């Protein structure tokens, strides 16, 4: 499979990598089958996270004895020194290795988060120490906010960024260009919009046509998906007329209905974390993580059920999403799931 240099890390990663979210609904045997298929297809990059429940440990078990064939990235939502130090140790143990190629700050949502990470006793200090001790190779950051990533690039010290990109989420294109100019690697999460795009291979092909990006990491939960997605990294990338027609169809279908998690709609008059409702709904409806999604949704103090349809958020959404209606849909989907549990 073709490779690209992951910015200043110097790592040569395949254009298509493995996104570790879906492992949460697989078992260890299935994980092994899928990762073996990834290796067979020529893939060399895995991205997982401390927060993806069993993902790190199943991956660790699956790649035991094959460590040198993989470039491993993981991430943690810890923001302070002690928390991050502990998380690096857990990741190393879960992944059954003494070295993680790339460790990222996961889901940095606000400037306050970034300040905390970079403060005197912040998580950055723990990753710098881990790097000096040879436990990790490089430091990266993941976010859904262009503003936060832009500020992170201003402050420096990050060797990679990770951001969503697909035909309906193009809001990161300027930041990718800036990152490329700074020799910072660009990792693409959600290249098939978390499963919302049915024509996954075309969507991956589309994002890889951007010369500023390095690697797309679709979540994959079957050998068949691995084969189809990895083929994109081997075949010519030029988009055909048919591909462009499909991209247009994808945009038409999802543009006015897909939340980009930018959070410009905040604050909700009732205190609902608006994008989070759609994220957990995605886990329920598309990632087959029903139990986890329901648990997460149920634990929220305020959620889509509490929406009073005031419409304030809709005036702030740059994508004109019908948020009130979407809140009704989220509530209905979770109520339907609740009904299935009673049967
Ligand atoms: S419409 Fe619903 S989600 Fe939007 S601000 Fe009002 S209560 Fe919050
Ligand atoms: S609802 Fe609109 S403004 Fe809010 S996070 Fe989603 S895309 Fe952004």
């Amino acid at each position: 499979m073709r490779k690209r240099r992951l910015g200043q890390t110097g790592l040569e990663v395949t254009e298509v990598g493995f996104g570790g979210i879906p492992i949460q609904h697989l078992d260890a045997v299935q994980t092994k089958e899928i990762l073996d298929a990834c290796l067979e297809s020529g893939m060399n990059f895995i991205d997982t996270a401390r927060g993806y429940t069993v993902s790190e440990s199943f991956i660790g078990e699956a790649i035991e004895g094959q460590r040198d064939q993989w470039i491993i990235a993981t991430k943690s939502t810890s923001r302070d020194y002690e928390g991050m130090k502990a998380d690096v140790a857990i990741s190393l143990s879960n992944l059954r290795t003494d070295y993680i190629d790339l460790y990222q700050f996961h889901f940095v949502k606000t400037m306050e988060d970034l300040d905390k990470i970079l403060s005197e006793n912040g998580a950055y200090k723990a990753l710098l120490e881990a790097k000096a001790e040879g436990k990790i190779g490089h430091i990266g950051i993941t976010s859904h906010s262009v503003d936060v990533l832009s500020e992170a690039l201003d402050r420096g010290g990050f060797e990679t960024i990770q951001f969503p990109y697909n035909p309906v989420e193009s809001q990161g294109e300027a930041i990718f260009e800036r990152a490329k100019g700074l020799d910072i690697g660009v990792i693409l999460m959600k290249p098939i919009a978390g499963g919302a795009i049915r024509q996954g291979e075309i969507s991956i092909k589309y994002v890889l046509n951007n010369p500023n990006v390095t690697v797309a990491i679709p979540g994959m939960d079957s050998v068949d998906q691995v084969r189809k997605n990895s083929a994109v990294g081997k075949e010519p990338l030029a988009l055909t007329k048919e591909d462009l027609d499909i991209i247009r169809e994808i945009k038409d279908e999802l543009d006015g209905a897909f939340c980009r998690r930018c959070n410009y709609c905040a604050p909700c008059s009732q205190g609902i974390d608006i994008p989070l409702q759609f994220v957990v709904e995605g886990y329920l409806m598309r990632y087959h993580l029903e139990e986890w999604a329901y648990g997460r949704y149920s634990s929220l103090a305020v959620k889509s059920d509490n929406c009073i349809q005031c419409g304030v958020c809709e005036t702030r959404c740059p994508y004109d999403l019908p948020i009130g209606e979407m809140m009704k849909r989220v509530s209905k989907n979770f109520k339907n799931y609740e009904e299935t549990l009673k049967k």
Side-chain angles (χ1 to χ4, degrees), residues 49-122:
R50 287 286 312 105
Y52 301 161
T53 61
V54 295
S55 181
E56 277 187 342
S57 52
F58 282 6
I59 288 170
E61 193 179 330
I63 65 167
E64 204 162 24
Q66 305 167 337
R67 173 66 187 91
D68 56 341
Q69 298 181 65
W70 287 106
I71 292 168
I72 301 179
T74 190
K75 47 196 178 292
S76 154
T77 53
S78 286
R79 303 295 183 238
D80 61 20
Y81 172 78
E82 291 298 340
M84 186 55 96
K85 201 174 154 78
D87 269 352
V88 171
I90 296 169
S91 294
L92 286 165
S93 160
N94 283 344
L95 290 161
R96 303 186 185 193
T97 182
D98 56 5
Y99 178 76
I100 291 164
D101 299 274
L102 174 66
Y103 213 98
Q104 304 155 102
F105 298 100
H106 191 181
F107 194 40
V108 183
K109 202 173 171 186
T110 61
M111 297 300 177
E112 291 72 37
D113 265 356
L114 188 61
D115 283 341
K116 204 166 174 197
I117 285 166
L118 296 171
S119 65
E120 201 183 331
N121 224 12

Side-chain angles (χ1 to χ4, degrees), residues 267-270 272 274 306-314 323-324 327:
C268 158
S269 65
Q270 304 303 301
I272 301 169
I274 295 170
N306 304 97
C307 173
I308 58 166
Q309 302 291 321
C310 70
V312 172
C313 54
E314 293 182 5
I323 300 174
M327 287 289 157

Side-chain angles (χ1 to χ4, degrees), residues 131-170:
K131 195 173 172 183
E133 289 163 3
K135 293 176 179 168
I136 66 167
H138 305 279
I139 299 174
I141 180 168
T142 87
S143 180
H144 288 99
S145 162
V146 169
D147 297 339
V148 167
L149 282 189
S150 181
E151 180 69 18
L153 294 189
D154 284 346
R155 297 200 196 181
F158 303 98
E159 294 161 273
T160 64
I161 58 169
Q162 186 177 144
F163 194 77
Y165 190 35
N166 58 60
V168 278
E169 293 193 86
S170 56

Side-chain angles (χ1 to χ4, degrees), residues 259-265 274-275 278 317-319 321 323:
C259 173
R260 279 80 165 172
R261 301 168 296 273
C262 61
N263 215 29
Y264 292 139
C265 48
I274 295 170
F278 307 129
C317 176
Y319 306 100
L321 298 189
I323 300 174

Side-chain angles (χ1 to χ4, degrees), residues 209-333:
N209 264 276
N210 186 324
N212 300 318
V213 310
T214 317
V215 51
I217 50 165
M220 291 175 266
D221 59 7
S222 73
V223 169
D224 185 50
Q225 270 179 7
V226 169
R227 292 201 178 120
K228 285 181 180 153
N229 291 342
S230 59
V232 182
K234 299 173 188 172
E235 291 163 3
L237 275 183
L239 291 161
T240 63
K241 186 186 168 302
E242 288 73 31
D243 293 338
L244 291 168
D245 287 344
I246 291 171
I247 299 287
R248 208 166 303 117
E249 275 168 31
I250 292 169
K251 284 185 176 163
D252 288 348
E253 185 190 337
L254 291 177
D255 242 358
F258 187 76
C259 173
R260 279 80 165 172
R261 301 168 296 273
C262 61
N263 215 29
Y264 292 139
C265 48
C268 158
S269 65
Q270 304 303 301
I272 301 169
D273 182 332
I274 295 170
L276 182 61
Q277 309 308 303
F278 307 129
V279 169
V280 288
E281 184 195 33
Y283 283 121
L284 178 80
M285 305 301 288
R286 297 194 298 269
Y287 278 102
H288 310 295
L289 292 166
E290 293 87 352
E291 208 179 311
W292 183 88
Y294 181 65
R296 182 84 175 91
Y297 182 73
S298 307
S299 72
L300 298 173
V302 275
K303 44 182 163 291
S304 59
D305 300 350
N306 304 97
C307 173
I308 58 166
Q309 302 291 321
C310 70
V312 172
C313 54
E314 293 182 5
T315 63
R316 302 189 198 114
C317 176
Y319 306 100
D320 294 326
L321 298 189
I323 300 174
E325 285 306 312
M326 290 166 74
M327 287 289 157
K328 286 185 198 167
R329 185 193 68 207
V330 174
S331 286
K332 195 165 161 244
N333 282 333

